[in-house]
Amino acid sequence: MKRIGSESQRGATLLVALVMLVLLTLMVSSAFTLSTTNLKAVNNMQMREEATAAANSAIELVISSAFATSPTAQEIDVDMNNNGTADYTVNVAEPQCVSYTLAESASASSVTLGVMSDKTWDTLWDIQATVNDAATGTNVTMRQGVLVRLSDAQKINLCS
């Protein structure tokens, strides 16, 4: 028994299956590309956050020292994961005295005791830290202002 029209439909199932396979392959490859792009974006954000934390750590280290007595540029190695090797090198520029104002006067008891024999100044310092990581291409610059109280002689030497 011979089917009517079977000659004209020979291979149609194969063609439909191939088209569906091509569409499925395109969907999978686009999903893979999207996931790879998202992974790269998240990695870039993580590297930037780590570099920012390293810059902040170096700035805090400078601020906790007596930087205002002799401000100098520094290169500080920061170990973010505490494994004993430096993960980032932070270049801290020489702290700059930006402005100064006369400090509020001392209380009456301090003046009577002779504690405040000299004028004191509230000085505002700008500290800038830059992280350039060649391995990841991360480049971050952080700035921090800090208020330091100085004597009149220190202010004249450092903030002129």
PDB file of all heavy atoms in Angstrom, residues 76-119:
ATOM      1  N   ILE A  76      53.156  52.268  50.539  1.00  0.00           N
ATOM      2  CA  ILE A  76      52.751  51.330  51.579  1.00  0.00           C
ATOM      3  C   ILE A  76      52.231  50.056  50.936  1.00  0.00           C
ATOM      4  O   ILE A  76      51.358  50.107  50.060  1.00  0.00           O
ATOM      5  CB  ILE A  76      51.673  51.954  52.489  1.00  0.00           C
ATOM      6  CG1 ILE A  76      52.227  53.216  53.159  1.00  0.00           C
ATOM      7  CG2 ILE A  76      51.169  50.956  53.509  1.00  0.00           C
ATOM      8  CD1 ILE A  76      51.206  54.006  53.927  1.00  0.00           C
ATOM      9  N   ASP A  77      52.769  48.917  51.377  1.00  0.00           N
ATOM     10  CA  ASP A  77      52.288  47.615  50.913  1.00  0.00           C
ATOM     11  C   ASP A  77      51.151  47.160  51.822  1.00  0.00           C
ATOM     12  O   ASP A  77      51.273  47.212  53.045  1.00  0.00           O
ATOM     13  CB  ASP A  77      53.402  46.574  50.930  1.00  0.00           C
ATOM     14  CG  ASP A  77      54.473  46.858  49.881  1.00  0.00           C
ATOM     15  OD1 ASP A  77      54.127  47.439  48.835  1.00  0.00           O
ATOM     16  OD2 ASP A  77      55.642  46.500  50.107  1.00  0.00           O
ATOM     17  N   VAL A  78      50.051  46.727  51.217  1.00  0.00           N
ATOM     18  CA  VAL A  78      48.877  46.305  51.983  1.00  0.00           C
ATOM     19  C   VAL A  78      48.580  44.840  51.677  1.00  0.00           C
ATOM     20  O   VAL A  78      48.474  44.447  50.523  1.00  0.00           O
ATOM     21  CB  VAL A  78      47.648  47.183  51.631  1.00  0.00           C
ATOM     22  CG1 VAL A  78      46.429  46.713  52.390  1.00  0.00           C
ATOM     23  CG2 VAL A  78      47.931  48.639  51.925  1.00  0.00           C
ATOM     24  N   ASP A  79      48.473  44.043  52.749  1.00  0.00           N
ATOM     25  CA  ASP A  79      48.128  42.626  52.639  1.00  0.00           C
ATOM     26  C   ASP A  79      46.657  42.485  53.012  1.00  0.00           C
ATOM     27  O   ASP A  79      46.293  42.495  54.182  1.00  0.00           O
ATOM     28  CB  ASP A  79      49.015  41.814  53.582  1.00  0.00           C
ATOM     29  CG  ASP A  79      48.723  40.325  53.526  1.00  0.00           C
ATOM     30  OD1 ASP A  79      48.044  39.889  52.574  1.00  0.00           O
ATOM     31  OD2 ASP A  79      49.174  39.605  54.431  1.00  0.00           O
ATOM     32  N   MET A  80      45.792  42.351  52.013  1.00  0.00           N
ATOM     33  CA  MET A  80      44.349  42.330  52.251  1.00  0.00           C
ATOM     34  C   MET A  80      43.869  41.014  52.864  1.00  0.00           C
ATOM     35  O   MET A  80      42.928  41.004  53.642  1.00  0.00           O
ATOM     36  CB  MET A  80      43.582  42.584  50.948  1.00  0.00           C
ATOM     37  CG  MET A  80      43.769  43.964  50.379  1.00  0.00           C
ATOM     38  SD  MET A  80      43.252  45.278  51.474  1.00  0.00           S
ATOM     39  CE  MET A  80      41.502  45.011  51.530  1.00  0.00           C
ATOM     40  N   ASN A  81      44.477  39.898  52.507  1.00  0.00           N
ATOM     41  CA  ASN A  81      43.986  38.602  52.989  1.00  0.00           C
ATOM     42  C   ASN A  81      44.869  37.998  54.082  1.00  0.00           C
ATOM     43  O   ASN A  81      44.732  36.827  54.397  1.00  0.00           O
ATOM     44  CB  ASN A  81      43.821  37.621  51.828  1.00  0.00           C
ATOM     45  CG  ASN A  81      45.077  37.490  50.995  1.00  0.00           C
ATOM     46  OD1 ASN A  81      46.124  38.019  51.354  1.00  0.00           O
ATOM     47  ND2 ASN A  81      44.976  36.804  49.886  1.00  0.00           N
ATOM     48  N   ASN A  82      45.793  38.773  54.617  1.00  0.00           N
ATOM     49  CA  ASN A  82      46.643  38.358  55.742  1.00  0.00           C
ATOM     50  C   ASN A  82      47.371  37.039  55.496  1.00  0.00           C
ATOM     51  O   ASN A  82      47.462  36.192  56.374  1.00  0.00           O
ATOM     52  CB  ASN A  82      45.825  38.264  57.030  1.00  0.00           C
ATOM     53  CG  ASN A  82      45.311  39.603  57.477  1.00  0.00           C
ATOM     54  OD1 ASN A  82      45.985  40.621  57.322  1.00  0.00           O
ATOM     55  ND2 ASN A  82      44.112  39.623  58.014  1.00  0.00           N
ATOM     56  N   ASN A  83      47.926  36.889  54.271  1.00  0.00           N
ATOM     57  CA  ASN A  83      48.691  35.678  53.984  1.00  0.00           C
ATOM     58  C   ASN A  83      50.202  35.938  53.986  1.00  0.00           C
ATOM     59  O   ASN A  83      50.975  35.062  53.648  1.00  0.00           O
ATOM     60  CB  ASN A  83      48.260  35.064  52.648  1.00  0.00           C
ATOM     61  CG  ASN A  83      48.573  35.962  51.470  1.00  0.00           C
ATOM     62  OD1 ASN A  83      49.006  37.104  51.631  1.00  0.00           O
ATOM     63  ND2 ASN A  83      48.335  35.453  50.279  1.00  0.00           N
ATOM     64  N   GLY A  84      50.599  37.150  54.361  1.00  0.00           N
ATOM     65  CA  GLY A  84      52.017  37.466  54.474  1.00  0.00           C
ATOM     66  C   GLY A  84      52.631  38.084  53.223  1.00  0.00           C
ATOM     67  O   GLY A  84      53.792  38.471  53.243  1.00  0.00           O
ATOM     68  N   THR A  85      51.873  38.187  52.130  1.00  0.00           N
ATOM     69  CA  THR A  85      52.386  38.834  50.919  1.00  0.00           C
ATOM     70  C   THR A  85      51.523  40.046  50.601  1.00  0.00           C
ATOM     71  O   THR A  85      50.304  40.035  50.815  1.00  0.00           O
ATOM     72  CB  THR A  85      52.369  37.876  49.703  1.00  0.00           C
ATOM     73  OG1 THR A  85      51.025  37.460  49.469  1.00  0.00           O
ATOM     74  CG2 THR A  85      53.242  36.665  49.936  1.00  0.00           C
ATOM     75  N   ALA A  86      52.175  41.071  50.087  1.00  0.00           N
ATOM     76  CA  ALA A  86      51.465  42.308  49.768  1.00  0.00           C
ATOM     77  C   ALA A  86      50.575  42.105  48.542  1.00  0.00           C
ATOM     78  O   ALA A  86      51.034  41.643  47.504  1.00  0.00           O
ATOM     79  CB  ALA A  86      52.463  43.426  49.515  1.00  0.00           C
ATOM     80  N   ASP A  87      49.299  42.429  48.691  1.00  0.00           N
ATOM     81  CA  ASP A  87      48.359  42.310  47.584  1.00  0.00           C
ATOM     82  C   ASP A  87      48.315  43.595  46.753  1.00  0.00           C
ATOM     83  O   ASP A  87      48.120  43.542  45.546  1.00  0.00           O
ATOM     84  CB  ASP A  87      46.952  42.001  48.110  1.00  0.00           C
ATOM     85  CG  ASP A  87      46.900  40.665  48.831  1.00  0.00           C
ATOM     86  OD1 ASP A  87      47.447  39.690  48.283  1.00  0.00           O
ATOM     87  OD2 ASP A  87      46.331  40.602  49.926  1.00  0.00           O
ATOM     88  N   TYR A  88      48.482  44.731  47.417  1.00  0.00           N
ATOM     89  CA  TYR A  88      48.430  46.026  46.739  1.00  0.00           C
ATOM     90  C   TYR A  88      49.547  46.911  47.251  1.00  0.00           C
ATOM     91  O   TYR A  88      49.910  46.859  48.421  1.00  0.00           O
ATOM     92  CB  TYR A  88      47.091  46.733  46.995  1.00  0.00           C
ATOM     93  CG  TYR A  88      45.916  46.023  46.385  1.00  0.00           C
ATOM     94  CD1 TYR A  88      45.136  45.154  47.142  1.00  0.00           C
ATOM     95  CD2 TYR A  88      45.580  46.221  45.057  1.00  0.00           C
ATOM     96  CE1 TYR A  88      44.057  44.494  46.579  1.00  0.00           C
ATOM     97  CE2 TYR A  88      44.498  45.570  44.492  1.00  0.00           C
ATOM     98  CZ  TYR A  88      43.745  44.712  45.258  1.00  0.00           C
ATOM     99  OH  TYR A  88      42.686  44.064  44.695  1.00  0.00           O
ATOM    100  N   THR A  89      50.078  47.733  46.367  1.00  0.00           N
ATOM    101  CA  THR A  89      51.024  48.773  46.749  1.00  0.00           C
ATOM    102  C   THR A  89      50.308  50.102  46.592  1.00  0.00           C
ATOM    103  O   THR A  89      49.819  50.436  45.511  1.00  0.00           O
ATOM    104  CB  THR A  89      52.281  48.731  45.867  1.00  0.00           C
ATOM    105  OG1 THR A  89      52.903  47.454  46.026  1.00  0.00           O
ATOM    106  CG2 THR A  89      53.261  49.818  46.263  1.00  0.00           C
ATOM    107  N   VAL A  90      50.242  50.860  47.683  1.00  0.00           N
ATOM    108  CA  VAL A  90      49.516  52.120  47.700  1.00  0.00           C
ATOM    109  C   VAL A  90      50.528  53.257  47.759  1.00  0.00           C
ATOM    110  O   VAL A  90      51.404  53.273  48.626  1.00  0.00           O
ATOM    111  CB  VAL A  90      48.566  52.194  48.917  1.00  0.00           C
ATOM    112  CG1 VAL A  90      47.774  53.484  48.903  1.00  0.00           C
ATOM    113  CG2 VAL A  90      47.644  50.989  48.949  1.00  0.00           C
ATOM    114  N   ASN A  91      50.419  54.181  46.823  1.00  0.00           N
ATOM    115  CA  ASN A  91      51.268  55.372  46.816  1.00  0.00           C
ATOM    116  C   ASN A  91      50.502  56.500  47.493  1.00  0.00           C
ATOM    117  O   ASN A  91      49.475  56.958  46.986  1.00  0.00           O
ATOM    118  CB  ASN A  91      51.636  55.774  45.389  1.00  0.00           C
ATOM    119  CG  ASN A  91      52.513  54.746  44.732  1.00  0.00           C
ATOM    120  OD1 ASN A  91      53.464  54.270  45.329  1.00  0.00           O
ATOM    121  ND2 ASN A  91      52.185  54.374  43.511  1.00  0.00           N
ATOM    122  N   VAL A  92      51.010  56.925  48.644  1.00  0.00           N
ATOM    123  CA  VAL A  92      50.388  58.009  49.388  1.00  0.00           C
ATOM    124  C   VAL A  92      51.201  59.268  49.126  1.00  0.00           C
ATOM    125  O   VAL A  92      52.396  59.316  49.415  1.00  0.00           O
ATOM    126  CB  VAL A  92      50.337  57.705  50.905  1.00  0.00           C
ATOM    127  CG1 VAL A  92      49.678  58.847  51.653  1.00  0.00           C
ATOM    128  CG2 VAL A  92      49.609  56.400  51.161  1.00  0.00           C
ATOM    129  N   ALA A  93      50.545  60.265  48.531  1.00  0.00           N
ATOM    130  CA  ALA A  93      51.218  61.527  48.226  1.00  0.00           C
ATOM    131  C   ALA A  93      51.537  62.263  49.523  1.00  0.00           C
ATOM    132  O   ALA A  93      50.969  61.962  50.587  1.00  0.00           O
ATOM    133  CB  ALA A  93      50.329  62.389  47.338  1.00  0.00           C
ATOM    134  N   GLU A  94      52.437  63.222  49.431  1.00  0.00           N
ATOM    135  CA  GLU A  94      52.791  64.013  50.610  1.00  0.00           C
ATOM    136  C   GLU A  94      51.553  64.747  51.116  1.00  0.00           C
ATOM    137  O   GLU A  94      50.882  65.448  50.351  1.00  0.00           O
ATOM    138  CB  GLU A  94      53.872  65.031  50.252  1.00  0.00           C
ATOM    139  CG  GLU A  94      54.286  65.892  51.407  1.00  0.00           C
ATOM    140  CD  GLU A  94      55.388  66.873  51.028  1.00  0.00           C
ATOM    141  OE1 GLU A  94      56.203  66.553  50.148  1.00  0.00           O
ATOM    142  OE2 GLU A  94      55.406  67.966  51.617  1.00  0.00           O
ATOM    143  N   PRO A  95      51.198  64.561  52.395  1.00  0.00           N
ATOM    144  CA  PRO A  95      50.030  65.267  52.933  1.00  0.00           C
ATOM    145  C   PRO A  95      50.201  66.781  52.806  1.00  0.00           C
ATOM    146  O   PRO A  95      51.283  67.317  53.042  1.00  0.00           O
ATOM    147  CB  PRO A  95      50.005  64.844  54.406  1.00  0.00           C
ATOM    148  CG  PRO A  95      50.726  63.531  54.427  1.00  0.00           C
ATOM    149  CD  PRO A  95      51.792  63.658  53.376  1.00  0.00           C
ATOM    150  N   GLN A  96      49.126  67.431  52.408  1.00  0.00           N
ATOM    151  CA  GLN A  96      49.152  68.878  52.188  1.00  0.00           C
ATOM    152  C   GLN A  96      48.272  69.575  53.225  1.00  0.00           C
ATOM    153  O   GLN A  96      47.122  69.185  53.429  1.00  0.00           O
ATOM    154  CB  GLN A  96      48.627  69.214  50.790  1.00  0.00           C
ATOM    155  CG  GLN A  96      49.418  68.604  49.660  1.00  0.00           C
ATOM    156  CD  GLN A  96      50.807  69.177  49.560  1.00  0.00           C
ATOM    157  OE1 GLN A  96      50.994  70.377  49.696  1.00  0.00           O
ATOM    158  NE2 GLN A  96      51.784  68.318  49.354  1.00  0.00           N
ATOM    159  N   CYS A  97      48.816  70.631  53.826  1.00  0.00           N
ATOM    160  CA  CYS A  97      48.032  71.468  54.727  1.00  0.00           C
ATOM    161  C   CYS A  97      47.197  72.399  53.846  1.00  0.00           C
ATOM    162  O   CYS A  97      47.719  73.233  53.122  1.00  0.00           O
ATOM    163  CB  CYS A  97      48.950  72.264  55.655  1.00  0.00           C
ATOM    164  SG  CYS A  97      48.045  73.313  56.810  1.00  0.00           S
ATOM    165  N   VAL A  98      45.881  72.230  53.893  1.00  0.00           N
ATOM    166  CA  VAL A  98      44.988  72.960  53.000  1.00  0.00           C
ATOM    167  C   VAL A  98      44.536  74.277  53.606  1.00  0.00           C
ATOM    168  O   VAL A  98      44.518  75.306  52.935  1.00  0.00           O
ATOM    169  CB  VAL A  98      43.757  72.086  52.657  1.00  0.00           C
ATOM    170  CG1 VAL A  98      42.794  72.822  51.761  1.00  0.00           C
ATOM    171  CG2 VAL A  98      44.190  70.787  52.020  1.00  0.00           C
ATOM    172  N   SER A  99      44.180  74.255  54.881  1.00  0.00           N
ATOM    173  CA  SER A  99      43.715  75.485  55.532  1.00  0.00           C
ATOM    174  C   SER A  99      43.945  75.370  57.033  1.00  0.00           C
ATOM    175  O   SER A  99      44.251  74.303  57.555  1.00  0.00           O
ATOM    176  CB  SER A  99      42.230  75.728  55.236  1.00  0.00           C
ATOM    177  OG  SER A  99      41.453  74.721  55.838  1.00  0.00           O
ATOM    178  N   TYR A 100      43.777  76.494  57.697  1.00  0.00           N
ATOM    179  CA  TYR A 100      43.935  76.506  59.141  1.00  0.00           C
ATOM    180  C   TYR A 100      43.066  77.606  59.731  1.00  0.00           C
ATOM    181  O   TYR A 100      42.793  78.617  59.083  1.00  0.00           O
ATOM    182  CB  TYR A 100      45.398  76.698  59.554  1.00  0.00           C
ATOM    183  CG  TYR A 100      46.092  77.857  58.873  1.00  0.00           C
ATOM    184  CD1 TYR A 100      46.029  79.143  59.398  1.00  0.00           C
ATOM    185  CD2 TYR A 100      46.802  77.652  57.706  1.00  0.00           C
ATOM    186  CE1 TYR A 100      46.661  80.190  58.768  1.00  0.00           C
ATOM    187  CE2 TYR A 100      47.443  78.702  57.068  1.00  0.00           C
ATOM    188  CZ  TYR A 100      47.368  79.974  57.600  1.00  0.00           C
ATOM    189  OH  TYR A 100      47.985  81.021  56.974  1.00  0.00           O
ATOM    190  N   THR A 101      42.612  77.352  60.949  1.00  0.00           N
ATOM    191  CA  THR A 101      41.849  78.340  61.705  1.00  0.00           C
ATOM    192  C   THR A 101      42.347  78.323  63.137  1.00  0.00           C
ATOM    193  O   THR A 101      42.823  77.290  63.631  1.00  0.00           O
ATOM    194  CB  THR A 101      40.338  78.034  61.698  1.00  0.00           C
ATOM    195  OG1 THR A 101      40.133  76.727  62.219  1.00  0.00           O
ATOM    196  CG2 THR A 101      39.760  78.135  60.300  1.00  0.00           C
ATOM    197  N   LEU A 102      42.229  79.442  63.772  1.00  0.00           N
ATOM    198  CA  LEU A 102      42.637  79.546  65.162  1.00  0.00           C
ATOM    199  C   LEU A 102      41.724  78.666  66.006  1.00  0.00           C
ATOM    200  O   LEU A 102      40.503  78.701  65.864  1.00  0.00           O
ATOM    201  CB  LEU A 102      42.550  81.001  65.631  1.00  0.00           C
ATOM    202  CG  LEU A 102      43.138  81.332  66.980  1.00  0.00           C
ATOM    203  CD1 LEU A 102      44.631  81.019  67.020  1.00  0.00           C
ATOM    204  CD2 LEU A 102      42.908  82.792  67.314  1.00  0.00           C
ATOM    205  N   ALA A 103      42.331  77.828  66.833  1.00  0.00           N
ATOM    206  CA  ALA A 103      41.548  76.907  67.659  1.00  0.00           C
ATOM    207  C   ALA A 103      40.775  77.687  68.704  1.00  0.00           C
ATOM    208  O   ALA A 103      41.179  78.783  69.111  1.00  0.00           O
ATOM    209  CB  ALA A 103      42.468  75.895  68.322  1.00  0.00           C
ATOM    210  N   GLU A 104      39.653  77.111  69.122  1.00  0.00           N
ATOM    211  CA  GLU A 104      38.861  77.756  70.165  1.00  0.00           C
ATOM    212  C   GLU A 104      39.708  77.896  71.418  1.00  0.00           C
ATOM    213  O   GLU A 104      40.555  77.059  71.706  1.00  0.00           O
ATOM    214  CB  GLU A 104      37.618  76.932  70.461  1.00  0.00           C
ATOM    215  CG  GLU A 104      36.634  76.902  69.319  1.00  0.00           C
ATOM    216  CD  GLU A 104      35.391  76.129  69.677  1.00  0.00           C
ATOM    217  OE1 GLU A 104      35.092  75.978  70.883  1.00  0.00           O
ATOM    218  OE2 GLU A 104      34.722  75.679  68.749  1.00  0.00           O
ATOM    219  N   SER A 105      39.469  78.957  72.153  1.00  0.00           N
ATOM    220  CA  SER A 105      40.288  79.203  73.342  1.00  0.00           C
ATOM    221  C   SER A 105      40.058  78.120  74.380  1.00  0.00           C
ATOM    222  O   SER A 105      38.998  77.496  74.425  1.00  0.00           O
ATOM    223  CB  SER A 105      39.966  80.574  73.936  1.00  0.00           C
ATOM    224  OG  SER A 105      38.609  80.604  74.314  1.00  0.00           O
ATOM    225  N   ALA A 106      41.065  77.912  75.184  1.00  0.00           N
ATOM    226  CA  ALA A 106      41.001  76.881  76.221  1.00  0.00           C
ATOM    227  C   ALA A 106      40.097  77.347  77.346  1.00  0.00           C
ATOM    228  O   ALA A 106      39.783  78.522  77.475  1.00  0.00           O
ATOM    229  CB  ALA A 106      42.394  76.598  76.742  1.00  0.00           C
ATOM    230  N   SER A 107      39.706  76.408  78.179  1.00  0.00           N
ATOM    231  CA  SER A 107      38.868  76.756  79.328  1.00  0.00           C
ATOM    232  C   SER A 107      39.663  77.623  80.310  1.00  0.00           C
ATOM    233  O   SER A 107      40.890  77.654  80.284  1.00  0.00           O
ATOM    234  CB  SER A 107      38.385  75.481  80.027  1.00  0.00           C
ATOM    235  OG  SER A 107      39.505  74.782  80.537  1.00  0.00           O
ATOM    236  N   ALA A 108      38.955  78.333  81.166  1.00  0.00           N
ATOM    237  CA  ALA A 108      39.595  79.272  82.108  1.00  0.00           C
ATOM    238  C   ALA A 108      40.598  78.568  83.000  1.00  0.00           C
ATOM    239  O   ALA A 108      41.649  79.114  83.309  1.00  0.00           O
ATOM    240  CB  ALA A 108      38.531  79.971  82.941  1.00  0.00           C
ATOM    241  N   SER A 109      40.327  77.335  83.437  1.00  0.00           N
ATOM    242  CA  SER A 109      41.250  76.636  84.328  1.00  0.00           C
ATOM    243  C   SER A 109      42.561  76.316  83.606  1.00  0.00           C
ATOM    244  O   SER A 109      43.624  76.370  84.202  1.00  0.00           O
ATOM    245  CB  SER A 109      40.608  75.355  84.870  1.00  0.00           C
ATOM    246  OG  SER A 109      40.352  74.464  83.804  1.00  0.00           O
ATOM    247  N   SER A 110      42.510  75.999  82.306  1.00  0.00           N
ATOM    248  CA  SER A 110      43.734  75.691  81.566  1.00  0.00           C
ATOM    249  C   SER A 110      44.597  76.926  81.406  1.00  0.00           C
ATOM    250  O   SER A 110      45.815  76.859  81.500  1.00  0.00           O
ATOM    251  CB  SER A 110      43.397  75.135  80.179  1.00  0.00           C
ATOM    252  OG  SER A 110      42.695  73.929  80.302  1.00  0.00           O
ATOM    253  N   VAL A 111      43.971  78.066  81.189  1.00  0.00           N
ATOM    254  CA  VAL A 111      44.739  79.301  81.018  1.00  0.00           C
ATOM    255  C   VAL A 111      45.381  79.693  82.350  1.00  0.00           C
ATOM    256  O   VAL A 111      46.532  80.117  82.412  1.00  0.00           O
ATOM    257  CB  VAL A 111      43.828  80.433  80.493  1.00  0.00           C
ATOM    258  CG1 VAL A 111      44.578  81.756  80.460  1.00  0.00           C
ATOM    259  CG2 VAL A 111      43.296  80.077  79.124  1.00  0.00           C
ATOM    260  N   THR A 112      44.645  79.526  83.445  1.00  0.00           N
ATOM    261  CA  THR A 112      45.168  79.862  84.763  1.00  0.00           C
ATOM    262  C   THR A 112      46.377  79.007  85.111  1.00  0.00           C
ATOM    263  O   THR A 112      47.339  79.491  85.688  1.00  0.00           O
ATOM    264  CB  THR A 112      44.079  79.665  85.837  1.00  0.00           C
ATOM    265  OG1 THR A 112      42.924  80.383  85.447  1.00  0.00           O
ATOM    266  CG2 THR A 112      44.551  80.132  87.191  1.00  0.00           C
ATOM    267  N   LEU A 113      46.358  77.742  84.717  1.00  0.00           N
ATOM    268  CA  LEU A 113      47.453  76.837  85.036  1.00  0.00           C
ATOM    269  C   LEU A 113      48.638  77.007  84.096  1.00  0.00           C
ATOM    270  O   LEU A 113      49.677  76.402  84.312  1.00  0.00           O
ATOM    271  CB  LEU A 113      46.975  75.374  84.981  1.00  0.00           C
ATOM    272  CG  LEU A 113      45.914  74.995  86.009  1.00  0.00           C
ATOM    273  CD1 LEU A 113      45.413  73.592  85.744  1.00  0.00           C
ATOM    274  CD2 LEU A 113      46.486  75.090  87.412  1.00  0.00           C
ATOM    275  N   GLY A 114      48.492  77.787  83.068  1.00  0.00           N
ATOM    276  CA  GLY A 114      49.597  78.006  82.145  1.00  0.00           C
ATOM    277  C   GLY A 114      49.760  76.897  81.121  1.00  0.00           C
ATOM    278  O   GLY A 114      50.810  76.767  80.514  1.00  0.00           O
ATOM    279  N   VAL A 115      48.744  76.071  80.922  1.00  0.00           N
ATOM    280  CA  VAL A 115      48.831  74.976  79.972  1.00  0.00           C
ATOM    281  C   VAL A 115      48.897  75.512  78.552  1.00  0.00           C
ATOM    282  O   VAL A 115      49.638  75.017  77.720  1.00  0.00           O
ATOM    283  CB  VAL A 115      47.627  74.018  80.145  1.00  0.00           C
ATOM    284  CG1 VAL A 115      47.621  72.953  79.063  1.00  0.00           C
ATOM    285  CG2 VAL A 115      47.649  73.407  81.523  1.00  0.00           C
ATOM    286  N   MET A 116      48.123  76.539  78.234  1.00  0.00           N
ATOM    287  CA  MET A 116      48.046  77.070  76.880  1.00  0.00           C
ATOM    288  C   MET A 116      48.801  78.396  76.820  1.00  0.00           C
ATOM    289  O   MET A 116      48.221  79.462  76.863  1.00  0.00           O
ATOM    290  CB  MET A 116      46.584  77.291  76.477  1.00  0.00           C
ATOM    291  CG  MET A 116      45.756  76.058  76.489  1.00  0.00           C
ATOM    292  SD  MET A 116      45.464  75.296  74.911  1.00  0.00           S
ATOM    293  CE  MET A 116      45.194  76.596  73.802  1.00  0.00           C
ATOM    294  N   SER A 117      50.099  78.330  76.734  1.00  0.00           N
ATOM    295  CA  SER A 117      50.884  79.550  76.675  1.00  0.00           C
ATOM    296  C   SER A 117      51.037  80.032  75.242  1.00  0.00           C
ATOM    297  O   SER A 117      51.403  81.167  75.019  1.00  0.00           O
ATOM    298  CB  SER A 117      52.262  79.314  77.297  1.00  0.00           C
ATOM    299  OG  SER A 117      52.941  78.314  76.556  1.00  0.00           O
ATOM    300  N   ASP A 118      50.752  79.192  74.268  1.00  0.00           N
ATOM    301  CA  ASP A 118      50.929  79.524  72.860  1.00  0.00           C
ATOM    302  C   ASP A 118      49.597  79.336  72.137  1.00  0.00           C
ATOM    303  O   ASP A 118      48.746  78.588  72.578  1.00  0.00           O
ATOM    304  CB  ASP A 118      51.993  78.581  72.267  1.00  0.00           C
ATOM    305  CG  ASP A 118      52.587  79.106  70.980  1.00  0.00           C
ATOM    306  OD1 ASP A 118      52.285  80.251  70.603  1.00  0.00           O
ATOM    307  OD2 ASP A 118      53.355  78.355  70.348  1.00  0.00           O
ATOM    308  N   LYS A 119      49.419  80.029  71.029  1.00  0.00           N
ATOM    309  CA  LYS A 119      48.213  79.830  70.224  1.00  0.00           C
ATOM    310  C   LYS A 119      48.241  78.439  69.608  1.00  0.00           C
ATOM    311  O   LYS A 119      49.293  77.917  69.280  1.00  0.00           O
ATOM    312  CB  LYS A 119      48.162  80.852  69.085  1.00  0.00           C
ATOM    313  CG  LYS A 119      47.876  82.238  69.509  1.00  0.00           C
ATOM    314  CD  LYS A 119      47.604  83.072  68.266  1.00  0.00           C
ATOM    315  CE  LYS A 119      48.620  84.176  68.170  1.00  0.00           C
ATOM    316  NZ  LYS A 119      48.465  85.001  66.996  1.00  0.00           N
TER     317      LYS A 119
END
